[in-house]
Amino acid sequence: MEIYDATVPSVLLFASLTALPGVNASTSENSKALNRDNYEDSTKTGNWIIKYTSDDCKNCLELNSAWTRISEQYSKSFGESQIYFGEINCSDQSDLCKSNGIETTSLPTLEWIRLGQKLDTKENLYEEDTIRNYVTNIKRNTQPDDFSKLGNSIILGQDNFTQAAHENIWLIKNYSPRCPHCKKMAPHWTQMTNDLAAKVAPLRIYFGEIDCIKYYDLCEKNKVEAYPTVQLWRNGVYVEEYMEDYEVEPMSKYVLGLAKRFNIPDTLLQEHKDAKEIPDDVKPPQNPEHQVAAHAPEEPVWNPDGKVIDLTSLDFKEKTNEGPWFVKFYAPWCPHCQQLAPIWEKLAETVKGKVNIAKVNCDNEGNLCQDNKIMGYPTLKFFMNGKITPFGKDQRTVKNFQEFIAKTMADSSVGSAQIKLELSNFMQLKKDNAQKVMFVLYTPKDADSSKKLQTSVKYVAQKAQLFRYLYITEDEYVLKNVEGSGNPNLPHLAVIKDGEAKLYSGSFDKLDQIQQWLSDEQYPLVEEISQENSNDLLNSNYLVLAAIDPTSSKSQMNEELIRSLKTVAKNFKTEYVESRHSYKSNFVRFAWIDTQKWSGYLERVFNFKSSGKYPAVVITKASENKFYDTDSSGKPIPLTADGIYGAMVDAIDGNSEAKYTAGPLIATLNQLKEKAGQFRKVAGRHPMYSIFFIGSIIALVLYLTRRRDGRASVLLPLHGNHPSDLVKGD
């Protein structure tokens, strides 16, 4: 075998390659070319800022001259801090780039490494001013003695988080460099911190960011379960999660409200020469008493006129969602309904100002009565706080109605704002409601605005049908138990669920915000199906349901499945709802069901006959009698957070095959209904194609009909009455 002598061509090729910008050569004497042989040893000591480029990256080539200037300037000023500049060409060092998680589509990429540990990664960074700001920020982070002198958003990690956050107020962004939502948020965070860092530093308010891929253990310790997550910390204690939009305006508004919330004294402003730069809306109020809505509603008055109200499908849901309603469903021709009419009018007069009395004509509102499961006339139902209570078989007298109303309203108020919440009963209530939700409103005891605020929150809780979950207290010890560092001179609204307390961070003078927050927080992450909540949960739009046998030997697997389900529930809002603004956070509910207690239901609806199938996950869509027990590939839904999330998204987006809960006949009808619906959608989008398709069908039918008629003219006698008439002789 001959060996081809490629010495000369190889030398020429090597010379031409090294002449290209960035190939096996440094663009600056202050920037070291790194490769698979020297990368690990070089980055073990000091701080490194590394530039990743490639030969075919246009922005990388444009960056070279700026990189030369930056590395020359900052390597000198950084000398004593042991900060070095390096660069890696991914065209030549593709394996190294790949192992470091660098994507060629995101070049140029900058990476900060300290003592061999990756601290931060910035992709598509090539503008000189932006890189200078980034390098300057890293320089400041090499001197973590005084955080008031650090950059606008301080890069935090395992080595400096505790030192930084143990005092003062910190708003910290927890993110993943690979997360699309994090990338979308990044410019908003940068602009917000650049605008506000200098202004709020005199108030001891700082911004930080943690790469949760690099510092996974730190983020897990801080209970970060979705990216991005912005957390508020004060004096080393976690306060709450920021829950508004990740945009400059809402984030800025939230930050500017922190001084008021924490009642930062004016004396602190005096200590700083930059205090004059603090805008008026950031300075703490002179009066620590929190502002309440100027036009907060007074205690609502129901049935102000003492008359019976006619309800229709147009206003029934809207009206009965707010306040107490006693509703008569009737038919005009019904004799018992006619007898009840004057009694019903009298009842409306006697409960004037207290309870709404209404009626629904089922002859005119058939669908509405069917929705309310009316099986006979008259039917009487009491609506309050989302709870529906039917009137029993007692005599229909004004007195009996009054007693029924009083008892039902008392029952609806148990565990609600009617209870005076003190530490003595708070701990027991908290224990009793461990699997549910509690909203706790604390107001200062002697503040003039407290009563008005209590009325406002009770009002919106009524509107949100959550009044029975609301507790009101003036006990400072309850506040300390709910929120350890809460200022007793300010009001606080918190939700307690899943073993944790979460504070309302919005304004108390905006009732729509309070109502929205109550609605968003009304469900635990994962609920157990019970007789009390089964109707509500099993009729959810979408329900992700874990079927678990608590008596089995798979207890560890069951616990891991519940944890996975909670992770999916937490991530659902950030990963799915916020990317599709048409959906609400309760668009999907999450629950688990005891297979021993509900074995008959599971077998009848999902055909779960064998206990060996558990634990298992099924996704239901009650409105269409559908369920999904496989992912888009047709395999059983995996019992991991990623597997459940993927199957949920596929089900919602229509990428998985559904099964039906109502038997083969109904399933076939539903499938035909779906096909018809799909055709209507296609017809709406492409009318000409649809007309052509329908015309083709009609033409085919006519053709076949004529062909059949043609055969008939040959085979059937036109005049004779016997087939033998068609036979011709020789």
Side-chain angles (χ1 to χ4, degrees):
M1 183 173 74
E2 295 185 3
I3 299 176
Y4 179 71
D5 186 357
T7 305
V8 175
S10 298
V11 171
L12 292 175
L13 177 62
F14 178 78
S16 62
L17 281 174
T18 53
L20 290 173
V23 179
N24 291 329
S26 301
T27 57
S28 165
E29 61 181 12
N30 299 297
S31 180
K32 182 177 181 179
L34 300 175
N35 53 49
R36 63 181 66 86
D37 297 324
N38 64 5
Y39 171 82
E40 189 172 344
D41 289 337
S42 297
T43 57
K44 281 182 179 178
T45 58
N47 290 270
W48 282 81
I49 303 174
I50 298 174
K51 174 187 70 169
Y52 290 85
T53 64
S54 72
D55 296 342
D56 55 356
C57 166
K58 181 180 178 182
N59 290 331
C60 301
L61 297 176
E62 293 177 357
L63 173 60
N64 282 341
S65 57
W67 184 254
T68 301
R69 290 190 293 272
I70 292 171
S71 60
E72 182 178 1
Q73 175 187 348
Y74 287 98
S75 62
K76 293 177 181 178
S77 62
F78 279 3
E80 296 179 0
S81 301
Q82 292 185 310
I83 296 185
Y84 308 100
F85 289 83
E87 53 195 77
I88 298 174
N89 188 325
C90 293
S91 297
D92 185 47
Q93 303 292 329
S94 58
D95 292 343
L96 178 58
C97 293
K98 187 175 181 180
S99 64
N100 288 348
I102 305 300
E103 297 180 0
T104 56
T105 56
S106 302
L107 300 177
T109 294
L110 298 189
E111 186 176 71
W112 175 26
I113 297 178
R114 176 192 288 171
L115 302 177
Q117 298 293 314
K118 186 190 298 183
L119 299 184
D120 191 44
T121 303
K122 299 291 184 185
E123 298 177 340
N124 297 309
L125 213 61
Y126 54 88
E127 294 179 353
E128 185 167 353
D129 289 343
T130 306
I131 296 174
R132 285 185 183 277
N133 290 335
Y134 180 64
V135 173
T136 301
N137 206 20
I138 292 177
K139 173 186 174 183
R140 289 168 176 164
N141 274 275
T142 62
Q143 306 161 358
D145 299 332
D146 183 359
F147 282 98
S148 66
K149 297 179 181 178
L150 293 180
N152 296 334
S153 183
I154 299 150
I155 299 172
L156 300 175
Q158 204 78 44
D159 56 345
N160 64 356
F161 172 80
T162 302
Q163 180 184 359
H166 84 283
E167 60 181 4
N168 304 318
I169 297 171
W170 284 81
L171 193 65
I172 299 173
K173 176 183 75 169
N174 302 272
Y175 72 100
S176 162
R178 296 286 175 262
C179 160
H181 299 292
C182 301
K183 293 178 181 178
K184 182 179 178 181
M185 173 199 185
H188 296 277
W189 177 264
T190 300
Q191 183 179 335
M192 184 271 293
T193 56
N194 287 346
D195 291 345
L196 296 181
K199 296 178 181 178
V200 298
L203 302 179
R204 297 282 197 264
I205 298 175
Y206 303 113
F207 303 104
E209 52 190 84
I210 300 174
D211 181 344
C212 289
I213 301 303
K214 186 61 185 175
Y215 293 108
Y216 177 82
D217 291 342
L218 176 60
C219 291
E220 185 176 42
K221 179 182 176 183
N222 291 345
K223 298 182 179 178
V224 176
E225 297 185 352
Y227 308 131
T229 292
V230 176
Q231 295 180 330
L232 181 67
W233 291 74
R234 189 186 187 199
N235 297 331
V237 177
Y238 168 77
V239 177
E240 67 188 17
E241 180 181 340
Y242 169 82
M243 296 300 291
E244 304 300 324
D245 292 335
Y246 292 131
E247 296 177 354
V248 175
E249 185 176 347
M251 287 194 294
S252 300
K253 186 176 181 181
Y254 177 82
V255 171
L256 296 179
L258 293 178
K260 293 181 180 180
R261 282 183 57 194
F262 293 113
N263 196 29
I264 297 173
D266 288 329
T267 53
L268 183 58
L269 296 174
Q270 311 279 330
E271 296 173 4
H272 299 268
K273 62 181 180 180
D274 295 330
K276 60 186 179 183
E277 298 179 10
I278 305 297
D280 292 336
D281 57 349
V282 185
K283 293 180 180 179
Q286 297 295 323
N287 184 350
E289 195 171 295
H290 199 90
Q291 297 295 315
V292 184
H295 302 289
E298 299 298 330
E299 199 71 60
V301 176
W302 313 116
N303 185 17
D305 301 322
K307 295 183 178 180
V308 177
I309 302 167
D310 283 294
L311 297 177
T312 69
S313 56
L314 298 177
D315 60 3
F316 180 87
K317 188 173 182 179
E318 178 185 355
K319 288 187 175 180
T320 57
N321 274 347
E322 183 178 345
W325 288 80
F326 199 11
V327 182
K328 174 182 71 172
F329 296 87
Y330 75 103
W333 48 262
C334 159
H336 297 294
C337 302
Q338 295 167 1
Q339 291 175 8
L340 178 60
I343 300 172
W344 205 244
E345 298 286 346
K346 181 67 175 177
L347 176 64
E349 295 175 9
T350 59
V351 295
K352 178 180 177 180
K354 298 177 182 178
V355 179
N356 297 304
I357 305 298
K359 60 181 179 178
V360 175
N361 184 338
C362 290
D363 276 3
N364 298 334
E365 300 293 338
N367 290 335
L368 177 58
C369 293
Q370 185 177 355
D371 291 342
N372 283 278
K373 300 177 182 178
I374 304 304
M375 307 297 291
Y377 307 124
T379 295
L380 312 176
K381 292 190 176 187
F382 191 87
F383 296 76
M384 184 175 179
N385 300 330
K387 185 177 180 181
I388 304 173
T389 307
F391 180 77
K393 297 185 184 260
D394 293 339
Q395 285 189 333
R396 300 185 185 115
T397 65
V398 172
K399 181 181 179 181
N400 285 345
F401 287 149
Q402 287 177 311
E403 291 176 355
F404 168 76
I405 290 172
K407 183 180 183 303
T408 306
M409 291 186 70
D411 291 343
S412 297
S413 298
V414 171
S416 72
Q418 304 300 322
I419 290 180
K420 185 178 181 181
L421 193 60
E422 297 176 341
L423 190 61
S424 57
N425 61 356
F426 170 69
M427 300 307 294
Q428 185 60 44
L429 285 168
K430 187 177 177 182
K431 183 179 179 181
D432 294 342
N433 290 277
Q435 302 301 320
K436 301 177 184 177
V437 169
M438 288 179 67
F439 292 104
V440 178
L441 172 66
Y442 167 83
T443 56
K445 202 165 194 176
D446 300 321
D448 294 336
S449 60
S450 290
K451 295 300 180 186
K452 200 169 188 179
L453 178 58
Q454 290 177 14
T455 300
S456 298
V457 175
K458 287 198 298 187
Y459 171 75
V460 296
Q462 287 271 18
K463 290 187 69 176
Q465 296 188 346
L466 296 170
F467 187 72
R468 66 186 181 278
Y469 300 118
L470 176 65
Y471 297 80
I472 294 177
T473 183
E474 295 179 346
D475 190 331
E476 293 184 17
Y477 292 102
V478 173
L479 173 63
K480 288 182 179 179
N481 191 280
V482 174
E483 207 276 297
S485 58
N487 187 335
N489 296 319
L490 297 176
H492 299 268
L493 177 61
V495 61
I496 301 174
K497 64 178 181 179
D498 302 307
E500 298 179 356
K502 178 180 176 182
L503 286 179
Y504 168 69
S505 59
S507 170
F508 279 108
D509 61 359
K510 294 188 177 178
L511 301 186
D512 57 338
Q513 285 187 9
I514 298 175
Q515 183 177 341
Q516 185 61 53
W517 184 80
L518 292 172
S519 298
D520 290 343
E521 298 295 338
Q522 66 180 299
Y523 302 118
L525 286 175
V526 178
E527 302 174 70
E528 180 185 359
I529 298 285
S530 65
Q531 292 293 342
E532 182 182 358
N533 65 15
S534 59
N535 188 58
D536 178 39
L537 279 170
L538 295 174
N539 286 292
S540 303
N541 198 342
Y542 279 95
L543 175 66
V544 182
L545 184 64
I548 291 175
D549 181 0
T551 64
S552 75
S553 59
K554 303 176 182 178
S555 58
Q556 184 175 352
M557 186 181 295
N558 292 340
E559 291 173 3
E560 290 176 356
L561 176 55
I562 293 294
R563 281 197 293 270
S564 296
L565 207 58
K566 286 184 177 181
T567 299
V568 175
K570 281 186 177 180
N571 288 348
F572 175 66
K573 183 175 186 296
T574 54
E575 294 294 327
Y576 194 85
V577 174
E578 290 184 358
S579 65
R580 309 175 187 218
H581 298 289
S582 58
Y583 296 131
K584 296 181 179 179
S585 58
N586 58 3
F587 177 71
V588 176
R589 303 275 295 277
F590 300 84
W592 72 275
I593 189 167
D594 186 328
T595 60
Q596 293 294 317
K597 296 178 182 177
W598 296 81
S599 58
Y601 170 81
L602 292 169
E603 181 176 347
R604 184 176 69 257
V605 176
F606 305 122
N607 199 30
F608 281 177
K609 296 180 180 178
S610 170
S611 59
K613 287 190 173 186
Y614 307 130
V617 173
V618 63
I619 300 166
T620 74
K621 189 174 185 182
S623 62
E624 298 180 11
N625 294 319
K626 286 182 180 180
F627 72 94
Y628 305 82
D629 57 5
T630 60
D631 58 18
S632 58
S633 66
K635 297 179 180 178
I637 297 175
L639 305 184
T640 63
D642 289 343
I644 296 170
Y645 180 83
M648 177 189 71
V649 172
D650 285 337
I652 295 173
D653 291 349
N655 298 326
S656 294
E657 184 176 353
K659 297 178 181 178
Y660 290 88
T661 63
L665 176 60
I666 299 299
T668 302
L669 293 175
N670 280 327
Q671 288 173 337
L672 291 173
K673 182 180 176 182
E674 280 186 17
K675 297 298 182 185
Q678 292 171 2
F679 179 77
R680 282 197 298 271
K681 289 181 180 178
V682 172
R685 293 194 202 103
H686 308 288
M688 295 307 297
Y689 289 127
S690 303
I691 292 171
F692 175 76
F693 176 74
I694 294 172
S696 300
I697 294 294
I698 293 172
L700 179 62
V701 171
L702 290 174
Y703 170 76
L704 292 175
T705 302
R706 287 188 177 185
R707 188 177 178 189
R708 185 196 65 187
D709 292 344
R711 286 203 195 102
S713 65
V714 174
L715 297 174
L716 296 179
L718 296 178
H719 304 288
N721 294 321
H722 196 278
S724 61
D725 291 343
L726 296 175
V727 180
K728 294 183 179 180
D730 292 329

